[in-house]
Amino acid sequence: YRVHNKWFCLFGSVPRNKVDKNTSSKEEVEILNVKVNRNEIENLLNKKGYYEAYHMNKKNWISIILDDSLRDSEIQDLIDNSSKNV
């Protein structure tokens, strides 16, 4: 999605091991890359369900595997906040 011609959220499908470095599984998974405030990245990466950004700037983006690890409301809050970070 874009706001003011700037990306803040991106869906994709990739092998699980491209995002989750703790697995060797190459199962295709749906991911969501979300732009977040730089100050929040370290905190988010210490939580289950959040990963370093796949194929995006790791200073401004995180990845989430859409496998029910996170509540829908938590993902929606990230999306809402990401559009404010553009």
Side-chain angles (χ1 to χ4, degrees):
Y1 296 101
R2 293 186 303 176
V3 173
H4 304 293
N5 286 327
K6 294 186 180 186
W7 290 95
F8 66 92
C9 176
L10 180 69
F11 288 96
S13 181
V14 299
R16 181 177 285 275
N17 65 343
K18 296 289 184 179
V19 177
D20 184 353
K21 303 302 183 194
N22 295 318
T23 186
S24 60
S25 173
K26 294 183 180 183
E27 160 199 24
E28 285 285 312
V29 292
E30 299 291 319
I31 66 165
L32 175 67
N33 285 336
V34 182
K35 189 170 187 177
V36 296
N37 183 307
R38 288 177 180 226
N39 300 327
E40 297 177 37
I41 289 179
E42 186 175 344
N43 183 44
L44 291 172
L45 292 176
N46 287 320
K47 295 180 180 181
K48 182 181 180 202
Y50 295 94
Y51 302 91
E52 284 189 341
Y54 173 74
H55 210 279
M56 302 298 274
N57 181 322
K58 291 169 179 33
K59 293 180 182 178
N60 297 305
W61 293 78
I62 58 162
S63 290
I64 299 166
I65 296 175
L66 299 174
D67 62 359
D68 294 327
S69 293
L70 300 174
R71 293 183 323 273
D72 290 347
S73 61
E74 193 169 355
I75 294 170
Q76 185 61 51
D77 287 345
L78 283 169
I79 294 169
D80 290 343
N81 289 332
S82 71
S83 66
K84 298 171 187 169
N85 292 320
V86 293

